[in-house]
Amino acid sequence: MIEGFTALYIFMLAAFTGYEVISRVPVILHTPLMSGSNFVHGIVVVGAMVALGHAETGVEMAIGFVAVFLAAGNAVGGYIATVRMLEMFQPKKGN
Amino acid sequence: MLIEIVYFIAAAVFIIGLKQMSSPVTARQGIVWAGIAMAIATLITFGDPAVYAHGSMNVILIVVAIVAGSIIAYITAKRVEMTDMPQMIAIYNGMGGGAAAAIAAVELVKVAAGGEAPNTTVLVLATLGAIIGAVSFSGSAIAFAKLQGLINKTLRLPMHMLINLIIFAGMLALGGMMAFTGEIDPTLLLIFFVLTIIFGIMFTLPIGGADMPVVISLFNALTGLAVAFEGFVLQNAAMIIAGTVVGSSGTLLTQLMAKAMNRPISNVLFSSFGSADGSTADEEVEGSMKEVQAPDAAIMMAYASKVIIIPGYGMAVAQAQHKLAELTKVLEARGVEVKYAIHPVAGRMPGHMNVLLAEAGIDYDKIYDLEDINPEFPSAEVALVIGANDVVNPVARSNPDSPIYGMPILDADRAQNCIVIKRGRGAGFSGIENHLFYADNTQMLYGDGQKMIGELVAGVKELG
């Protein structure tokens, strides 16, 4: 179980990590990085799966379905958008 | 157990992936690794007994929802033009926020239906995640609509601030009541969610299009936070860690952007450019705009020794980046030194211009940041401004009354000549008159960016 102070510690350490990880990023990568972190919170899909999995009534199932649908869109859309942007920064293709 | 291990590794890979995305050399492999981690984490979740807690119908729905969401997002993300990327990021981000809010909704509906109430901490976090996620969801949708041009104006109701405050207070009161009493009435729960969605809309509507990058970045951070909160509710470590990391890094990114515009975040969020209560009175501008034709502008550039090109959002709209690459080539063939000057907030997102120029195959060693290029303007014969406006407006240096006063600008006015490609005579996105356009050494080239650059290329080529 993750609760009480354990939860707070995780929260604090993860917050500092996030801050440190991008503190020295060049401006040219700001947009790809925003897109990349947009992809990372797509992990919400695993939570949405559990939420739909233990949904009981029709209403719960409908909301759960929406959750999984939106989360999958977040993850896949965020991934493709980021990859497409970063492709632009590949070494020259000779043009 | 295996699931826990996979989640642990996924969380670590996300952090390493984000780190790698902060350098152009490793960025690509960073996102690919994060993608693999996400795919495996999703697959392993099918091994979680919680997924099968209520029969096979739910599992079928899960698969259908994943497939449908993925296909739609895949197709849209593949098809969208690079220039429209910012609003797509807004929409995908909004989906994540909506998902977090929907998870909270499932849990809260369970309690409303008479299920056992979890402890207060869990309820509070679920409710907070619901608020933040739903605001990010509807706010991102408005951001999308604004960037896509579906909503052109900044809408501001009378007493907008007061209405927002009332909605905000109502939302908090309802949420607090549900979370702390543990008694949830289905009708009140519905009202609660309607309020959060309305708040997201009302909050975003008055914010000007030029400030959207900051807003999208803020919503991105908020979605991360909402995901982390729902992670606590579901006891899912991967969600907690990934969500928190995005929340804090997104907050930092938001600050960096606001700083680049020299505006405190509160200023971006709570007052809009050129709003009725702002003091953007039309002051008199000295001088007049002088028009130039493309062939003459081409001659100026062809015989220059150094040309600095300043792209802005107008370049993105006109899709002129490929023509610019061609212009760079023909100028360099004549021995002209060509450099690109990118303002930190040019376009609709920081780095937006860099992405577009890279797409057109322009080397990134020709692309300079504000601090590096500004000292070079006096030695450049020509500064070519294409579709940029506020970021080259000298009033940011000279007029303390101007809303953009204090914002660092590109010193295009200090180049020996300045050519501005612009579609029409109107003021820019922010509605502020640009004194650069009236300066003695500035000449205006009116027309569509792509077409005009094309004519410049032809003009330079004609000189042999």
Side-chain angles (χ1 to χ4, degrees), chain B residues 20-282:
Chain B
Q20 289 185 320
M21 271 184 253
S22 347
S23 154
V25 186
T26 53
R28 190 68 217 266
Q29 93 198 49
I31 182 69
V32 171
W33 276 108
I36 294 170
M38 179 87 71
I40 294 176
T42 308
L43 284 178
I44 203 77
T45 305
F46 278 107
D48 187 339
V51 169
Y52 304 95
H54 201 74
S56 52
M57 182 61 194
N58 295 42
V59 183
I60 294 170
L61 282 179
I62 290 175
V63 176
V64 172
I66 290 180
V67 171
S70 301
I71 289 179
I72 291 173
Y74 182 87
I75 293 174
T76 52
K78 277 278 182 196
R79 286 210 183 141
V80 64
E81 294 286 343
M82 266 302 151
T83 41
D84 294 337
M85 231 15 138
Q87 52 263 51
M88 292 319 285
I89 295 178
I91 220 67
Y92 299 136
N93 172 56
M95 290 174 93
I103 291 174
V106 171
E107 303 305 317
L108 294 174
V109 167
K110 269 185 189 302
V111 180
E116 54 169 324
N119 67 42
T120 309
T121 317
V122 170
L123 273 182
V124 169
L125 287 175
T127 312
L128 275 180
I131 293 177
I132 299 170
V135 168
S136 171
F137 172 70
S138 58
S140 296
I142 298 294
F144 168 82
K146 285 204 172 203
L147 290 176
Q148 191 72 16
L150 302 175
I151 303 175
N152 292 326
K153 283 195 199 134
T154 56
L155 294 174
R156 190 173 262 273
L157 302 175
M159 297 192 294
H160 199 104
M161 223 27 188
L162 184 68
I163 298 174
N164 274 5
L165 262 177
I166 293 172
I167 300 176
F168 186 70
M171 173 174 107
L172 279 190
L174 268 180
M177 203 179 74
M178 294 188 305
F180 287 107
T181 62
E183 282 169 33
I184 298 172
D185 177 73
T187 318
L188 285 184
L189 184 62
L190 185 64
I191 296 175
F192 167 74
F193 273 105
V194 171
L195 279 184
T196 55
I197 286 174
I198 293 178
F199 183 74
I201 295 171
M202 293 284 288
F203 178 79
T204 319
L205 270 180
I207 301 173
D211 288 331
M212 276 308 140
V214 182
V215 176
I216 294 175
S217 175
L218 178 74
F219 285 144
N220 188 38
L222 285 180
T223 301
L225 203 57
V227 170
F229 286 168
E230 298 314 322
F232 280 116
V233 173
L234 298 172
Q235 291 290 303
N236 183 315
M239 280 170 72
I240 300 175
I241 294 172
T244 310
V245 166
V246 172
S248 68
S249 63
T251 306
L252 176 62
L253 202 53
T254 311
Q255 279 171 348
L256 290 177
M257 283 183 206
K259 204 171 146 207
M261 300 165 85
N262 199 35
R263 305 220 290 141
I265 293 176
S266 60
N267 200 341
V268 171
L269 300 180
F270 301 118
S271 71
S272 49
F273 267 179
S275 60
D277 47 325
S279 57
T280 49
D282 309 70

Side-chain angles (χ1 to χ4, degrees), chain A residues 11-71:
Chain A
F11 192 74
M12 178 192 73
L13 291 174
F16 280 115
T17 307
Y19 206 84
E20 272 306 307
V21 152
I22 72 142
S23 56
R24 266 179 293 278
V25 59
V27 176
I28 60 162
L29 284 177
H30 274 179
T31 296
L33 188 71
M34 191 203 293
S35 179
S37 62
N38 179 27
F39 161 71
V40 166
H41 64 54
I43 189 67
V44 68
V45 72
V46 300
M49 287 166 70
V50 171
L52 175 51
H54 71 198
E56 284 160 13
T57 63
V59 177
E60 287 168 29
M61 281 163 76
I63 303 172
F65 184 84
V66 171
V68 178
F69 174 81
L70 292 176

